[in-house]
Amino acid sequence: MLSFGKKKKPEIDLEQHELLENAQKRIKQKKRLFSHLVIFLIGSIFLIIANKVLKYGEVYDWSIWIVAVWTFLLALHTFNVFVTHKFMGQNWERLQRERLVDLQKKRIGEIQKEIETDFPLSKINKKKDQ
């Protein structure tokens, strides 16, 4: 049967949506890491060729130092993507979010109690009646 109305969007519950978002973030992290690796390889080869083959700044081996620092940065990036993510991944984020929400609810409850003790509704209603 033909339907000319609005198409119904498939219903995705909140948990599935969160899982999809986390998966997309994870894919982006890995994609950036692999892009970084490819740029590192091409750049390192270019720097070594410029220093050794083209003899640019031949007196000093500057390319090795640049490649060493870049290797360290790439190792940090890899550590961040694969190791840190396991410890501070989706579950850790969820626990932190829940903890912060609980702290906020507790603080709101404390403020409401302070307001109720300082300004009880019975006094306000008595003043309006008089």
Side-chain angles (χ1 to χ4, degrees), residues 5-107:
K6 292 183 180 179
K7 291 184 179 179
K8 292 182 181 179
K9 293 182 180 179
E11 300 273 333
I12 297 178
D13 66 343
L14 186 61
E15 187 174 327
Q16 286 179 335
H17 182 69
E18 187 176 317
L19 289 173
L20 280 172
E21 282 184 356
N22 285 325
Q24 288 175 339
K25 286 180 190 176
R26 192 77 177 122
I27 289 169
K28 282 184 181 180
Q29 282 181 338
K30 288 182 178 181
K31 186 177 180 179
R32 287 182 186 145
L33 176 65
F34 292 130
S35 297
H36 188 179
L37 177 66
V38 169
I39 292 170
F40 166 75
L41 292 174
I42 293 170
S44 296
I45 291 170
F46 174 75
L47 291 172
I48 292 171
I49 288 174
N51 188 224
K52 301 291 182 179
V53 177
L54 300 177
K55 300 184 192 275
Y56 182 77
E58 181 182 20
V59 203
Y60 188 68
D61 289 336
W62 53 267
S63 63
I64 293 175
W65 290 103
I66 293 173
V67 171
V69 170
W70 202 350
T71 303
F72 176 73
L73 294 174
L74 182 64
L76 281 177
H77 192 174
T78 305
F79 181 82
N80 185 29
V81 170
F82 290 110
V83 177
T84 306
H85 182 74
K86 287 184 181 182
F87 296 113
M88 291 191 256
Q90 179 182 0
N91 292 333
W92 181 82
E93 287 178 11
R94 181 180 295 124
L95 290 173
Q96 293 300 314
R97 187 171 38 249
E98 289 172 0
R99 185 180 65 84
L100 290 173
V101 167
D102 289 341
L103 285 173
Q104 289 173 351
K105 285 179 181 178
K106 181 180 176 183
R107 182 66 182 139

